[in-house]
Amino acid sequence: MEGLTLSEAEQRYYCDLFSYCDTESTKKVASNGRVLELFRAAQLPNDVVMQIMELCGATRLGYFGRSQFYIALKLVAVAQSGLPLRVESLNTVKDLPLPRFVVSKNEQESRHTALYSSDADNPASYSGVIPPPPGRIQVKKGSVSHDAVQQRTSTDQQESTSPVVSPQQSPPTSPHTWRKHNRHPSGGNNERPLAGPGPFWAPFSEAQPGSSTASDPIWSGHSPPPHQENWVSFADTPPTSALLAMHPASVQDQTTVRTVASATTANEIRRQSSSYDDPWKITDEQRQYYVNQFKTIQPDLNGFIPGSAAKEFFTKSKLPILELSHIWELSDFDKDGALTLDEFCAAFHLVVARKNGYDLPEKLPESLMPKLIDLEDSAEAGEQTAEVGYASSPAEAPPSKSPSMPSLNQTWPELNQSSEQWETFSERSSSSQTLTQFDSNIAPADPDTAIVHPVPIRMTPSKIHMQEMELKRTGSDHANPTSPLLVKPADLPEENKMSSSVKYTAGNTVNGYSSSDSYTSDPEQIGSTVTRQRSHSGTSPDNTAPPPPPPRPHQSHSRSSSLDLNRSFSVTPGQQQAGVVAYPPAVPPRPQPSQGPGPHVHRPVDAEGLIAHTSTSPQQIPEQPNFADFSQFEAFAVSGVSKEDDDEIETHSESLQVEKSSDSASSLRVAKADGRVEDKAPASVPTSAGKGTTPLAPPPKPLRRRLKSEDELRPEAEEHTQKTGVIAAVLASQPSIPRSVGKDKKAIQASIRRNKETNTVLARLNSELQQQLKDVLEERISLEVQLEQLRPFSHL
Amino acid sequence: MAVCIAVIAKENYPLYIRSVPTENELKFHYTVHTSLDVVDEKISAMGKALVDQRELYLGLLYPTEDYKVYGYVTNSKVKFVMVVDSSNTALRDNEIRSMFRKLHNSYTDIMCNPFYNPGDRIHSRAFDNTVTSMMMQVC
């Protein structure tokens, strides 16, 4: 067993076979399944196989170590050559042909074994073994292929000329160059590497026939049949077989390194080639060609081609930049902006395919993927780390790659580089995970969820509300709160200013009625916003009360005016002057103490109230005798009150006159007013006699009337219309009153009473309207604020 | 899932913009354009903050009724703007961040391509695939 000497070819072959069988990449043990498969492929009788296994010691050991495997292979060769299986035959048999392994549908392996048996070089025998494939000349293959390989590997310098030409030529034309090179004989050494792995691959690729036929059209279409032999012979070989050919320098160096490399490459190539057949496989010649091209750019096969150099190189192919860009995306696996040998070959292959009219795939075909490191089983630990790095970022997880096998050691730094990148990615992802966790802690404070619940409508709520929500979730998003907070607080003062200005402007206008309608139409939300606004506006500079309501004429007509009124009353009967219109007609100040607070309570005014007034006015006449009572009443000090009442009534009426002058009076009201005027006119006369007496006239009557009016006026519906009616009536009555001349006291007193009542009613009406005005103004402000909020979004 | 994804160059012209096709795309274009102002505001607000991935992610630029706009800026002032449908299940912030990270990675992959001149419109299929994976699956 020991001391097994293998020729170089044998060694290579065996090494490749071993790596093929080394499914687990242990480089120590060949998997039994594969070995058995191999032995079956050797077409040896089972007992012979058993014998071989015994002899090599595998049965003893229970597994196929490398040495056992080699011995077994040698024994297979021995057996195939018909020699008896002896241990001694291992070393004694010279010129033993390489063991042949036949796979059922495979025709190539025999071809390739023919290659291997180039030593014997009896093509005829092999052609007999091999059913001649269409258009293939088996005989030539061996020699030609070998020559080609030879030339390829040896004539790097010569091929340096070809790169100048080659980029513009599709690879199918390259055989020309190669054939040129074929004419240059070189040492037979160089053919070994290719020959070794080449036939090795073939037996184990079930898909070879199909692939060969598939790949042939690609290339054969462009190469005349004589070239086919060159291409064809290697068209069947998996592209990565060229890998071994690619490293002639190293190949010639230590065998072990190369064998290891070739074994590992063989491994992957095995896997990859056996899995499918596609038109994207790179033939050996192509591969070699690419390698040579690579070398022209980057002498070190283990190095990178920088992106710019690659760009120049591929631009020479005259493909559109867009396609070149896509090819780059496909081929630059590790996305490092540089092309390794494999990447370069893949890119070159794609360029070639494109130039030959094949559409670029969406994804990099497997055959073009950098096959040095498989995802499933990475030969190197470094690759595994890289794979792990990739796994952390699955989105961009191309298979970790390293350049060609022999240069694995040199590529480790690159790998480490890229793995560092990947590690940084993983770090980032982990950091993001930490961020994720952090965020998840604050998840409940997700902005939208936080905002939603307080506000039924998301976008319509006021900016203030959103600001509140933003303030609540200060911890959640790092960036989010800042921006809205930055934005919102800036807007808040603006909004407040605007709101205040709005309020002021609104306050100055009397739009109570129109806005009140809109207010009622938008209940809660505006109310809510209004409330919020109020809360904020409470702190804002416009906290001040709304501007004073429209001038309250009755304020101007304070108590001091009572005297004037009285004076006017005394004067008006005789004057009928419109100038005195300003003052209520000669209504003697009537003591209407109860009416004092009354007016502020009983805003609602009924026309009925007026009617009551008017109806009672005739009653006042019989009450005239009460006028004397009035004086009595006045005597005990209701005069001031009465005066106030009068004043209020008068001021109310005046204010109403001023404010509501625009109101139109109905004929009915006018009639009533006339009635009242008439009442007032006579009342004014007696009042002229004595101030303050008449007011006292029928306090009970006004009381009653007031009570009545209270009852009537309690329901506050239709206030506005009623008030307007009252106001109109009063206003209508006002001008007529001065004209009345010579009204008796009772009428005056009655009119005074009525006026006071209207005063109270109007005062109440006024206060209520003021309140409504305030509300409406606030609502308007809120609406305007909302508008402001919406505006920035519209113009953003 | 995003409704519209845009890549804006440093000079604020679009390198890549893609929307869900069923929508009125012009509206998204306009939205993205208007969001640039907010992006600039945030960038200036950040000042010379140390470049960290956190700062790269700008977060919610502004919400509207229908959608939310998120922003992300790279160190070379290339901006990614993403418009997300609000009616969608509120996407977590992390998800948005991860989407931006993927976008960023795809973008760097494009930049590594020597055939890509920075400043050109992005025609990369790989980038398109990345973006498609993020877009809403609207039939």
Side-chain angles (χ1 to χ4, degrees):
Chain A
M1 303 285 196
E2 290 74 20
L4 177 69
T5 59
L6 298 172
S7 66
E8 218 173 344
E10 284 177 341
Q11 191 143 18
R12 294 195 187 18
Y13 187 35
Y14 293 170
C15 192
D16 299 334
L17 284 172
F18 183 81
S19 53
Y20 170 68
C21 294
D22 189 12
T23 52
E24 287 160 352
S25 312
T26 60
K27 292 198 276 301
K28 291 281 170 50
V29 176
S31 82
N32 290 347
R34 284 287 173 92
V35 173
L36 291 174
E37 203 180 323
L38 196 64
F39 289 162
R40 271 196 295 278
Q43 294 178 336
L44 295 172
N46 274 352
D47 56 344
V48 173
V49 171
M50 294 306 300
Q51 198 176 0
I52 290 173
M53 286 174 64
E54 279 182 33
L55 282 176
C56 73
T59 50
R60 182 166 41 87
L61 293 175
Y63 62 90
F64 275 99
R66 190 174 281 272
S67 56
Q68 282 79 34
F69 189 73
Y70 288 179
I71 291 167
L73 290 175
K74 186 90 179 187
L75 287 173
V76 165
V78 167
Q80 282 177 344
S81 55
L83 300 171
L85 287 180
R86 298 280 157 69
V87 177
E88 303 79 5
S89 61
L90 287 177
N91 291 328
T92 54
V93 176
K94 299 280 191 277
D95 294 333
L96 191 65
L98 292 173
R100 293 193 303 276
F101 297 94
V102 182
V103 178
S104 56
K105 47 180 172 173
N106 225 329
E107 44 192 9
Q108 297 126 7
E109 78 282 2
S110 39
R111 285 198 300 271
H112 294 292
T113 53
L115 292 175
Y116 280 116
S117 56
S118 59
D119 297 338
D121 199 18
N122 41 359
S125 63
Y126 294 110
S127 58
V129 170
I130 306 155
R136 292 181 200 164
I137 305 168
Q138 303 301 325
V139 177
K140 284 193 202 166
K141 239 202 277 184
S143 52
V144 170
S145 61
H146 287 307
D147 290 340
V149 170
Q150 228 165 301
Q151 309 318 321
R152 253 179 272 130
T153 56
S154 60
T155 57
D156 293 344
Q157 302 78 12
Q158 289 156 354
E159 287 178 351
S160 61
T161 61
S162 62
V164 177
V165 183
S166 60
Q168 285 141 8
Q169 301 171 4
S170 53
T173 62
S174 59
H176 293 290
T177 61
W178 287 5
R179 236 179 330 146
K180 269 188 279 180
H181 299 144
N182 284 343
R183 305 204 180 90
H184 305 280
S186 72
N189 246 358
N190 297 333
E191 73 191 22
R192 285 293 167 258
L194 183 61
F200 170 75
W201 301 136
F204 302 99
S205 61
E206 293 87 6
Q208 288 292 358
S211 62
S212 62
T213 52
S215 52
D216 276 346
I218 296 176
W219 306 112
S220 61
H222 306 275
S223 55
H227 300 176
Q228 272 184 0
E229 51 187 1
N230 291 337
W231 288 106
V232 161
S233 61
F234 302 99
D236 305 331
T237 61
T240 50
S241 64
L243 279 175
L244 299 172
M246 280 185 322
H247 311 290
S250 57
V251 160
Q252 292 161 12
D253 295 343
Q254 304 130 16
T255 314
T256 52
V257 173
R258 185 184 44 75
T259 51
V260 166
S262 59
T264 47
T265 45
N267 223 354
E268 277 109 20
I269 296 163
R270 254 329 71 188
R271 209 153 297 106
Q272 159 259 320
S273 62
S274 57
S275 57
Y276 57 83
D277 66 312
D278 69 340
W280 296 106
K281 272 194 237 170
I282 304 179
T283 66
D284 278 353
E285 286 191 6
Q286 294 167 350
R287 188 81 189 192
Q288 189 57 40
Y289 181 70
Y290 302 155
V291 170
N292 293 328
Q293 297 301 314
F294 184 92
K295 279 193 239 145
T296 63
I297 308 174
Q298 164 68 276
D300 179 16
L301 287 175
N302 310 322
F304 289 117
I305 292 184
S308 50
K311 175 178 180 177
E312 290 174 25
F313 183 79
F314 287 114
T315 310
K316 285 189 251 176
S317 69
K318 295 196 181 138
L319 280 181
I321 293 287
L322 200 59
E323 298 194 4
L324 288 175
S325 174
H326 184 61
I327 287 174
W328 177 275
E329 279 182 0
L330 290 177
S331 56
D332 187 10
F333 235 50
D334 46 7
K335 302 289 182 215
D336 55 357
L339 292 181
T340 64
L341 186 59
D342 272 345
E343 289 173 338
F344 177 84
C345 293
F348 209 130
H349 198 69
L350 286 170
V351 167
V352 165
R354 190 79 186 111
K355 283 193 84 66
N356 293 329
Y358 288 88
D359 289 331
L360 292 178
E362 289 298 318
K363 293 193 323 176
L364 191 64
E366 280 191 40
S367 58
L368 293 181
M369 282 188 186
K371 281 302 176 192
L372 301 177
I373 307 294
D374 250 2
L375 272 179
E376 285 112 22
D377 44 2
S378 56
E380 313 295 333
E383 303 143 15
Q384 278 169 352
T385 59
E387 286 172 3
V388 166
Y390 268 127
S392 68
S393 57
E396 53 272 66
S400 56
K401 61 179 294 280
S402 70
S404 46
M405 301 310 297
S407 50
L408 271 176
N409 295 328
Q410 289 86 357
T411 59
W412 280 31
E414 301 152 1
L415 262 184
N416 293 337
Q417 244 183 16
S418 44
S419 64
E420 282 165 7
Q421 294 169 8
W422 300 322
E423 282 158 11
T424 56
F425 272 113
S426 59
E427 282 171 359
R428 282 197 164 185
S429 59
S430 63
S431 67
S432 69
Q433 283 163 7
T434 59
L435 284 176
T436 303
Q437 292 156 7
F438 183 69
D439 287 342
S440 65
N441 293 337
I442 313 183
D446 180 58
D448 300 319
T449 59
I451 283 181
V452 166
H453 92 82
V455 180
I457 299 175
R458 241 194 337 198
M459 293 325 301
T460 51
S462 65
K463 199 183 292 186
I464 296 169
H465 166 68
M466 288 190 69
Q467 288 164 356
E468 288 177 346
M469 294 305 111
E470 294 292 349
L471 287 166
K472 276 181 197 171
R473 54 178 183 86
T474 48
S476 65
D477 258 279
H478 310 284
N480 281 357
T482 58
S483 66
L485 283 178
L486 282 173
V487 173
K488 301 283 170 64
D491 293 339
L492 176 57
E494 294 174 5
E495 164 201 326
N496 286 332
K497 289 180 212 149
M498 179 213 59
S499 61
S500 60
S501 61
V502 164
K503 281 182 183 174
Y504 278 112
T505 55
N508 294 333
T509 64
V510 183
N511 296 325
Y513 292 142
S514 58
S515 50
S516 66
D517 294 334
S518 61
Y519 174 73
T520 53
S521 62
D522 294 333
E524 313 165 344
Q525 107 196 39
I526 293 180
S528 64
T529 58
V530 166
T531 56
R532 272 185 222 94
Q533 280 189 340
R534 282 177 188 158
S535 67
H536 280 266
S537 61
T539 60
S540 69
D542 79 339
N543 195 10
T544 63
R552 296 175 182 169
H554 61 82
Q555 283 179 356
S556 60
H557 304 281
S558 58
R559 296 172 193 182
S560 58
S561 61
S562 64
L563 295 172
D564 296 336
L565 293 174
N566 293 334
R567 262 185 262 116
S568 69
F569 283 159
S570 60
V571 177
T572 51
Q575 292 184 357
Q576 291 184 354
Q577 292 300 326
V580 197
V581 173
Y583 294 100
V587 176
R590 284 188 305 183
Q592 295 179 352
S594 55
Q595 271 190 2
H600 302 288
V601 177
H602 307 298
R603 291 293 299 286
V605 175
D606 264 340
E608 303 158 11
L610 291 174
I611 296 171
H613 281 287
T614 55
S615 61
T616 53
S617 61
Q619 296 173 12
Q620 291 176 10
I621 299 171
E623 289 169 10
Q624 279 182 356
N626 294 336
F627 283 175
D629 299 336
F630 289 158
S631 59
Q632 296 167 10
F633 280 96
E634 192 183 26
F636 50 89
V638 194
S639 63
V641 179
S642 66
K643 284 179 189 171
E644 289 174 358
D645 295 337
D646 274 341
D647 298 335
E648 286 166 358
I649 291 169
E650 288 157 356
T651 53
H652 275 296
S653 52
E654 281 193 24
S655 63
L656 290 169
Q657 198 175 10
V658 171
E659 294 173 3
K660 316 297 177 188
S661 57
S662 61
D663 293 335
S664 61
S666 64
S667 59
L668 178 60
R669 294 195 202 104
V670 171
K672 282 186 281 182
D674 289 341
R676 293 185 61 192
V677 165
E678 290 173 0
D679 292 339
K680 285 174 188 172
S684 63
V685 171
T687 53
S688 61
K691 302 174 187 178
T693 58
T694 51
L696 300 176
K701 292 251 164 73
L703 278 170
R704 285 197 294 276
R705 235 174 276 121
R706 195 173 55 261
L707 287 171
K708 229 187 288 181
S709 62
E710 278 178 351
D711 297 333
E712 291 161 351
L713 302 175
R714 284 255 165 80
E716 297 190 1
E718 318 308 329
E719 287 182 356
H720 305 295
T721 54
Q722 293 160 4
K723 288 172 192 169
T724 51
V726 170
I727 289 161
V730 173
L731 285 173
S733 66
Q734 299 309 324
S736 59
I737 289 174
R739 295 188 215 114
S740 64
V741 178
K743 306 290 179 179
D744 57 355
K745 214 181 199 183
K746 214 194 289 184
I748 293 172
Q749 287 175 352
S751 65
I752 287 172
R753 256 200 321 281
R754 280 193 295 276
N755 282 337
K756 282 190 180 174
E757 287 181 15
T758 53
N759 264 351
T760 60
V761 166
L762 291 171
R764 189 173 175 211
L765 173 65
N766 191 17
S767 63
E768 286 179 354
L769 285 175
Q770 290 301 325
Q771 184 59 36
Q772 284 188 0
L773 180 63
K774 267 191 225 179
D775 296 339
V776 166
L777 287 177
E778 285 183 351
E779 179 188 333
R780 174 181 169 173
I781 290 161
S782 69
L783 284 172
E784 291 192 5
V785 164
Q786 288 177 14
L787 183 62
E788 280 298 321
Q789 292 170 15
L790 291 171
R791 204 175 293 137
F793 299 139
S794 65
H795 71 65
L796 252 188
Chain B
M1 299 325 238
V3 174
C4 169
I5 290 180
V7 177
I8 316 287
K10 180 178 174 182
E11 293 82 13
N12 286 337
Y13 61 85
L15 294 176
Y16 181 89
I17 180 163
R18 184 144 141 231
S19 321
V20 165
T22 55
E23 293 291 329
N24 176 14
E25 300 202 20
L26 193 59
K27 175 183 77 169
F28 291 127
H29 288 226
Y30 183 62
T31 307
V32 167
H33 186 264
T34 54
S35 69
L36 291 180
D37 282 337
V38 188
V39 170
D40 282 343
E41 177 189 349
K42 291 200 185 242
I43 293 176
S44 59
M46 284 199 304
K48 301 299 178 191
L50 54 91
V51 176
D52 183 10
Q53 195 187 23
R54 204 171 310 187
E55 272 75 14
L56 296 182
Y57 174 71
L58 301 176
L60 181 68
L61 294 181
Y62 70 88
T64 59
E65 253 179 287
D66 297 327
Y67 46 82
K68 298 194 273 281
V69 183
Y70 292 91
Y72 181 98
V73 66
T74 67
N75 296 332
S76 55
K77 295 291 183 281
V78 172
K79 304 150 186 96
F80 300 104
V81 177
M82 187 187 315
V83 181
V84 207
D85 197 14
S86 285
S87 61
N88 223 342
T89 60
L91 282 177
R92 301 284 301 272
D93 190 53
N94 330 324
E95 295 172 20
I96 307 283
R97 281 178 196 261
S98 70
M99 285 162 80
F100 273 126
R101 208 174 310 119
K102 269 191 268 184
L103 269 180
H104 197 175
N105 292 337
S106 296
Y107 179 73
T108 51
D109 291 343
I110 292 176
M111 295 307 282
C112 285
N113 189 336
F115 297 104
Y116 172 75
N117 300 318
D120 290 350
R121 298 212 59 140
I122 295 177
H123 296 284
S124 151
R125 283 180 238 185
F127 192 75
D128 280 344
N129 293 339
T130 307
V131 169
T132 308
S133 70
M134 279 189 227
M135 301 277 279
M136 284 189 68
Q137 311 305 324
V138 179
C139 298

